[in-house]
Amino acid sequence: MINAASVADISFMLLILFLMVTSMDVDKGLSRQLPPPDPTEEEREETRVSERNVMKIEVTADNKIMLDGKEAALGDIRQRVMTFVENETNRADLPEKHEMDIPLLGKCQITDRHVIQIEADRQSDYDVYFGVQNEIVAAYNTLRDKLSKQRFGRTYGQCSDAQKEALRTYYRQRVAEIYQKREGGEQ
């Protein structure tokens, strides 16, 4: 007869070893915060934003994407957001520019008062909604990467924390989501 008392101990130690040395892939999602609970009437503060500073993106119930009231494809969003946020030629129909002194970048003309407003119908697919969010994030990343290469000679990912902060200040990500009350009190 073979003594098998130590087989359980060895199996347990091997299990622990594999758990310790195995890495788990964790998907990184979009970094978003859920909206806070509705403030009371006294706590609400309305913010006025110039119409030229707002880009409206709507996802309809039938999964159509509307950019400023006109139908657009998902692939069009990135370039349109980049053009909107950058406003290279200071066009009157795009966000207004103003001068700001940014550490490491100096005095710059920026459009940090812009807002990208997303309104998704509750009947629309999550895939379409998150595709829109993904394109917006990609637009900001592309703009920051381009500026990083111009000013620091390296990609955004290779920059120091201070350089990244300067680039985030230059291209502030300003996305607002609209939550409208539906019939029956549903929000």
Side-chain angles (χ1 to χ4, degrees):
M1 199 169 220
I2 300 173
N3 184 2
S6 64
V7 173
D9 292 337
I10 292 171
S11 298
F12 184 69
M13 287 194 306
L14 284 173
L15 178 65
I16 298 232
L17 174 74
F18 286 125
L19 287 174
M20 299 283 286
V21 298
T22 303
S23 66
M24 303 284 179
D25 287 337
V26 179
D27 290 337
K28 291 184 181 178
L30 293 172
S31 155
R32 294 283 180 259
Q33 280 187 318
L34 292 174
D38 276 346
T40 62
E41 287 299 320
E42 298 116 24
E43 294 174 337
R44 285 192 184 169
E45 184 180 316
E46 194 169 308
T47 304
R48 295 274 181 215
V49 179
S50 171
E51 196 64 34
R52 76 181 270 189
N53 290 338
V54 179
M55 172 185 262
K56 295 178 182 175
I57 302 175
E58 182 183 357
V59 180
T60 64
D62 54 352
N63 297 316
K64 290 183 180 171
I65 299 169
M66 308 295 281
L67 273 165
D68 291 326
K70 297 175 186 165
E71 193 171 339
L74 184 62
D76 298 338
I77 293 175
R78 185 179 309 190
Q79 188 57 49
R80 293 275 302 272
V81 168
M82 287 171 54
T83 301
F84 178 77
V85 171
E86 193 171 30
N87 191 7
E88 268 187 304
T89 58
N90 201 15
R91 289 178 19 198
D93 60 329
L94 295 176
E96 57 194 329
K97 290 187 149 203
H98 70 281
E99 190 172 282
M100 182 179 213
D101 191 11
I102 302 173
L104 302 177
L105 296 177
K107 291 187 185 225
C108 306
Q109 291 289 322
I110 63 170
T111 62
D112 70 335
R113 295 180 184 141
H114 71 277
V115 176
I116 298 173
Q117 175 182 310
I118 303 172
E119 182 175 359
D121 191 284
R122 293 195 179 272
Q123 303 301 315
S124 62
D125 287 341
Y126 282 116
D127 289 340
V128 176
Y129 173 75
F130 284 114
V132 168
Q133 288 272 3
N134 227 9
E135 289 299 309
I136 292 169
V137 170
Y140 279 99
N141 288 340
T142 302
L143 287 171
R144 289 173 182 160
D145 204 42
K146 178 181 166 187
L147 182 63
S148 174
K149 287 176 184 173
Q150 288 173 352
R151 296 291 181 103
F152 305 122
R154 62 183 78 135
T155 64
Y156 177 75
Q158 297 170 328
C159 288
S160 69
D161 289 342
Q163 291 169 332
K164 285 180 181 178
E165 182 61 33
L167 294 165
R168 282 191 302 267
T169 301
Y170 192 97
Y171 287 122
R172 282 206 180 120
Q173 188 169 324
R174 297 182 45 124
V175 178
E177 297 180 25
I178 303 257
Y179 301 97
Q180 293 181 347
K181 294 217 183 234
R182 302 284 184 199
E183 292 176 21
E186 180 187 343
Q187 188 173 359

